[in-house]
Amino acid sequence: MTDTPFDVVERPIALRPDNHLYREIEVETRPQQTWSAIYQQPRGLAVVSTGLMEVAVQDIPDRPLALTLYRSTRRTVFTKVNP
């Protein structure tokens, strides 16, 4: 589960089996605003943070919560050198 600007969204962990047939494939990462949570009996985990815009729960038995802590690009966007 993650939060969005006006709601809480519960999303499936597994990707669709026919994902490879889509023009734009689905990826593990999902958007979040300030928190994400995962629950699997008998335990759960919630991560509350500002500034993390995406999160992923990997589809393996341990169900780890993967966070993007640093993201960079090759070019600097919105500068005079790189539009």
Side-chain angles (χ1 to χ4, degrees), residues 14-26:
L15 299 176
R16 293 180 277 209
D18 61 345
N19 191 31
H20 66 284
L21 300 174
Y22 287 87
R23 181 174 291 232
E24 187 173 333
I25 62 170
E26 186 178 24

Side-chain angles (χ1 to χ4, degrees), residues 5-66:
F6 301 105
D7 201 1
V8 173
V9 179
E10 187 172 350
R11 295 184 174 101
I13 294 173
L15 299 176
R16 293 180 277 209
D18 61 345
N19 191 31
H20 66 284
L21 300 174
Y22 287 87
R23 181 174 291 232
E24 187 173 333
I25 62 170
E26 186 178 24
V27 293
E28 285 183 320
T29 57
R30 304 285 191 239
Q32 76 165 17
Q33 292 290 311
T34 56
W35 65 270
S36 292
I38 183 167
Y39 176 75
Q40 186 174 2
Q41 293 253 340
R43 293 178 252 168
L45 172 70
V47 175
V48 179
S49 174
T50 57
L52 292 175
M53 296 292 116
E54 65 184 14
V55 67
V57 178
Q58 296 179 341
D59 190 19
I60 58 177
D62 288 341
R63 298 281 196 247
L65 190 66

Side-chain angles (χ1 to χ4, degrees), residues 49-80:
S49 174
T50 57
L52 292 175
M53 296 292 116
E54 65 184 14
V55 67
V57 178
Q58 296 179 341
D59 190 19
I60 58 177
D62 288 341
R63 298 281 196 247
L65 190 66
L67 306 173
T68 301
L69 299 178
Y70 178 74
R71 174 174 275 193
S72 65
T73 59
R74 185 174 173 201
R75 300 179 184 183
T76 306
V77 295
F78 299 121
T79 63
K80 292 181 181 181

